[in-house]
Amino acid sequence: MNDADRARAAVHDEWKDRSGAWEKWADRLSQLAKRFNIPLLDAAGVAAGTDVLDLASGLGEPAITAAERVGAHGRVTATDLVANMIDAARRRAEAAGVSNMAFEVCGMEDLPFSDRSFDAVTCRFGIMFVPDVMTALREVFRVLRPDCTAAFLVWGPIEDNTLFHVLDRVIGTELGHSLRDLEFSPFRFGADGSLSRLMEQAGCPDVTEREMRFSPKIDAGTPFWTANLEMSFGDALTPLAPAERRDLDAVIAEAFRPFIEDDVYVLRSHVRLVSGNVAE
């Protein structure tokens, strides 16, 4: 196994291990995710009748939302490297009564689709984890039809994302785990223009990047961090006894206390929406 194959296997195993926690929280977080889904689908030009490829679909978003938008005359193909994720996405789509979807287990670096197969390509918080991003982007532009758009949503710097920043600091101190230590960090493309430049190098001459900043407000005392804690740091939590987990939650609650204003937590969230059109 060469270095590239080892990297892909490591990414696969990491997300396979996370899939159970992600499925546990998927339905509860789906409504919150719309603040990200809608701008992404808009940027990709997803509309009625569109044939969409969604990459790194995970538990089915934004693919399910896209399928609802494209309607009976459109189709969405949801893909993910991990079969567990795709199985869960299929179950969630069936439960929602969505029938205009296809599901494919595959990585972004080797898409099993013909050239010029799709009217739009979307990827929400997935491109950061691909070992060979340049190959993946070239594959995206290969399967995209001329004058159509690929749109990617990536996290801005960790310091601009309160939820992740605080959790990463606490878990790093208490358990010795950090998102910064991952081979492919969720914040890999946090720097302005970092993904845009790669898209241009991959053959996309028309790239647009814009920042999206949110200020979520949550009632004080709500353990809003639990889902992200379990989805991001599940492997570090598994060995903890119930009392140790309660102690950790108390430390986390204290770490978020400085963000309380007028009985609500006021957080910061920063993402980058990067899109590009493929010319004729």
Side-chain angles (χ1 to χ4, degrees):
M1 184 181 291
N2 59 34
D3 289 344
D5 289 337
R6 275 192 291 272
R8 280 189 284 271
V11 171
H12 172 275
D13 292 346
E14 178 185 337
W15 286 99
K16 181 180 178 181
D17 291 343
R18 292 188 187 187
S19 62
W22 278 67
E23 185 168 10
K24 172 184 174 181
W25 291 101
D27 290 339
R28 216 171 305 185
L29 295 177
S30 60
Q31 286 301 115
L32 293 175
K34 289 190 182 298
R35 73 176 64 179
F36 301 123
N37 292 347
I38 302 308
L40 178 66
L41 299 181
D42 289 345
V46 176
T50 307
D51 195 352
V52 181
L53 172 64
D54 186 54
L55 303 171
S57 300
L59 277 297
E61 287 295 350
I64 293 173
T65 299
E68 293 168 350
R69 181 182 286 202
V70 303
H73 298 293
R75 190 165 181 79
V76 175
T77 301
T79 68
D80 200 275
L81 183 64
V82 178
N84 301 49
M85 293 284 197
I86 284 296
D87 290 343
R90 184 184 288 108
R91 288 194 294 271
R92 294 187 67 240
E94 290 173 353
V98 176
S99 59
N100 57 340
M101 290 184 66
F103 301 88
E104 189 80 38
V105 177
C106 65
M108 295 187 210
E109 296 147 305
D110 187 19
L111 297 175
F113 309 110
S114 302
D115 296 356
R116 302 185 174 191
S117 296
F118 297 96
D119 302 314
V121 176
T122 56
C123 183
R124 193 193 74 183
F125 304 133
I127 190 69
M128 306 92 75
F129 304 109
V130 177
D132 188 347
V133 173
M134 188 61 66
T135 295
L137 291 173
R138 287 175 177 146
E139 278 289 272
V140 168
F141 301 140
R142 176 184 66 80
V143 302
L144 192 62
R145 293 181 178 124
D147 296 321
C148 292
T149 303
F152 300 86
L153 205 59
V154 298
W155 292 109
I158 190 171
E159 295 79 8
D160 288 348
N161 287 282
T162 311
L163 175 57
F164 290 110
H165 192 210
V166 173
L167 285 180
D168 193 63
R169 187 176 72 240
V170 171
I171 301 305
T173 300
E174 299 295 320
L175 302 178
H177 288 247
S178 173
L179 296 172
R180 302 170 193 262
D181 296 336
L182 297 174
E183 184 172 4
F184 304 109
S185 165
F187 309 96
R188 182 180 179 183
F189 295 117
D192 183 23
S194 54
L195 180 57
S196 294
R197 286 188 290 274
L198 290 180
M199 290 175 65
E200 291 167 353
Q201 293 170 24
C204 185
D206 181 18
V207 180
T208 300
E209 178 172 336
R210 69 181 177 97
E211 293 185 328
M212 296 168 53
R213 295 179 183 268
F214 305 97
S215 295
K217 294 178 174 59
I218 305 163
D219 290 342
T222 304
F224 63 90
W225 57 81
T226 304
N228 288 86
L229 175 66
E230 294 183 358
M231 291 190 296
S232 298
F233 297 101
D235 56 339
L237 302 178
T238 300
L240 299 182
E244 292 174 314
R245 176 62 189 273
R246 288 193 295 272
D247 290 344
L248 178 64
D249 281 334
V251 173
I252 294 172
E254 186 61 30
F256 278 111
R257 187 179 297 279
F259 299 93
I260 297 177
E261 301 176 14
D262 298 325
D263 294 324
V264 296
Y265 294 104
V266 180
L267 311 180
R268 292 185 301 173
S269 181
H270 177 193
V271 301
R272 300 186 185 279
L273 179 54
V274 188
S275 59
N277 285 27
V278 177
E280 183 69 54

